[in-house]
Amino acid sequence: MAAPALSGRAGSSGSLGNSPTMAAGRLPHGGGPELDFRSAARMEDLNRLIQEFSKHDQREYDDQRALEIHTAKDFIFSMLGMVQKLDQKLPVANEYLLLSGGVREGVVDMDLDELSVYARGTDYDMDFTLLVPALKLHDRNQPVTLDMRHSALGHSWLSLRLFDEGTINKWKDCCTIVDHINGTTNYFFSPTLVADWFYQSISLVLLEVQKKPQRGMPRVEKVERNGTIISVILGVGSSRMLYDIVPVVSFKGWPAVAQSWLMENHFWDGKITEEEVISGFYLVPACSHKGRKENEWRLSFARSEVQLKKCISSSLMQAYQACKAIIIKLLSRPKAISPYHLRSIMLWACDRLPANYLAQDDFSAHFLLGLIDDLQHCLVNKMCPNYFIPQCNMLEHLSDETAMLHARKLSSVRSDPAEHLRTTIEHAKAANRLTVELQWRGSTNNLPSPQSDAGGENQPDDRLAKKLQQLVTENPGKSISVFINPDDVTRPHFRIDDKFF
């Protein structure tokens, strides 16, 4: 992409030429190990530490754990089908986007100030984010018009004028009302009121479900509202899964505010089609720092980011995951930087750097140091452009004091990246030890497991897990969606691209 000018991007080819990362070149004629100029760390040692972190961070699951994951997922989908039946507010044929990693992991761009603190190992073993469309603007001939007059860039209000009378009547109680001088009334879809309704509906459904427990059914260990997000922790067998459920507005097509982004060159050109990248976007319930929480939504390109991830090399993704683990704890107070900032920086780097450089298998250390350099550059300049809307600066609101505080913290990481990687590895090991200990306690206490009820009348059907595995195996790289029929929540069906099964 022809990225913004130096003052308006995550980095530049010019700035990288003076970067400590780029100064770490390979010594000619086999003159010794490759060193990082800034810290004197051996690149091969940093690569080894990143590989070790990846091993502890990305665990493989046996068949029992895989079945427990699918049992929890099926329970969540069934619960949402029951929510739809309460008052028919949710679309009948809905399409959810399930993302690996919770909101706290930066899988969507949302404010985190109101989220409870959950720790992997202590509170959960795996985390997911589920985007649930409360409204859909699909298959319409007229262009989508977003009301951005009252919002910061990258945000919008949503008027229900775009919808039919029946939809307006359904959702009136989740709107703020504006009366105009000409006598007309405008209903603006409210993210906070929608979250209120969603939390109450989910709580009611779970209360009813727990009145008639079935053998093998997941244990509902926690249901909390965190700002506009509903967090549910389920226990299945010895596994605990955190679901951050986010009510969203789903659109097909592409917003006008991001139209210019399509005109530029990108790292994914020729690897995936433009149709895959711009198949749709969302409004998520998150306002800007000066916006009105009851009215303002944030544009989200999570669907596109899932597609772009396919084009990022494994070595760069490993570096990103390691860097993310470091900054989540280091830069947590005061709240300023989220993993989503780091993801945007990574996407900018993919557009800026040659593909053959980013594809190097043994360059994870270079990528990690580069991400730290770019993030520090962003903080010093208080400039981190959104990847899809480059004119939107995601750090514009930061005070000089906060920006420099975090830049100094990153400087300490840059001076000794190996030590910070070792600390991150120990945290991952500790979380895994906690998980194993809790699983062992669970097995000694005979906690219910999906397979412990073998032969029971209400045993969960593992055909969903087998069907999902078959579809994933037979359709590599394709978009797979799970749909729930609210009149029969026991029978999910699947869409692969535009084909239904």
Side-chain angles (χ1 to χ4, degrees), residues 183-305:
T184 62
T185 300
N186 204 347
Y187 296 93
F188 287 100
F189 205 43
S190 169
T192 52
L193 293 177
V194 170
D196 287 341
W197 165 82
F198 206 31
Y199 175 67
Q200 293 165 6
S201 298
I202 286 177
S203 300
L204 184 61
V205 164
L206 290 178
L207 188 63
E208 289 301 312
V209 167
Q210 289 172 306
K211 287 180 180 177
K212 301 175 183 177
Q214 297 182 1
R215 297 177 67 188
M217 187 178 75
R219 307 179 304 279
V220 181
E221 298 189 355
K222 185 174 293 187
V223 182
E224 282 188 352
R225 179 177 171 188
N226 292 290
T228 52
I229 299 163
I230 292 83
S231 298
V232 179
I233 296 180
L234 298 178
V236 187
S238 58
S239 301
R240 295 157 303 149
M241 278 147 276
L242 167 63
Y243 274 85
D244 283 327
I245 304 174
V246 186
V248 300
V249 182
S250 174
F251 296 86
K252 290 291 187 187
W254 201 247
V257 70
Q259 196 67 34
S260 61
W261 179 80
L262 297 176
M263 303 297 108
E264 306 292 348
N265 296 322
H266 301 285
F267 72 97
W268 47 266
D269 291 337
K271 299 176 182 177
I272 53 177
T273 65
E274 186 174 285
E275 288 70 26
E276 289 177 287
V277 175
I278 65 170
S279 61
F281 68 101
Y282 298 98
L283 294 182
V284 297
C287 75
S288 62
H289 289 267
K290 293 183 179 179
R292 292 177 55 179
K293 288 187 177 183
E294 66 272 21
N295 278 3
E296 196 171 84
W297 300 76
R298 175 174 290 154
L299 274 74
S300 169
F301 302 91
R303 187 192 295 271
S304 302
E305 288 163 3

Side-chain angles (χ1 to χ4, degrees), residues 226 244 282 321 350 443 464 468 488:
N226 292 290
D244 283 327
Y282 298 98
Q321 296 292 349
C350 288
S443 63
L464 173 63
L468 277 171
D488 184 3

Side-chain angles (χ1 to χ4, degrees), residues 25 79 104 112 114 125 143 181 184 222 245 253 273 275 284 314 320 332 335 354 394 433 469:
M79 175 197 73
R104 296 154 188 81
L112 304 177
E114 299 179 84
D125 307 318
I181 299 175
T184 62
K222 185 174 293 187
I245 304 174
T273 65
E275 288 70 26
V284 297
S314 59
Y320 163 75
S332 60
K335 184 62 68 178
M394 298 189 294
R433 280 195 299 269
Q469 184 60 50

Side-chain angles (χ1 to χ4, degrees), residues 27 237 337:
L27 293 179
I337 294 294

Side-chain angles (χ1 to χ4, degrees), residues 123-155:
D123 300 302
Y124 63 92
D125 307 318
M126 291 145 287
D127 53 338
F128 303 94
T129 296
L130 187 63
L131 303 187
V132 179
L135 288 175
K136 297 194 301 181
L137 271 161
H138 291 189
D139 306 321
R140 289 173 175 264
N141 295 324
Q142 73 267 29
V144 174
T145 303
L146 296 176
D147 189 347
M148 298 182 173
R149 295 170 299 169
H150 316 289
S151 307
L153 193 58
H155 297 75

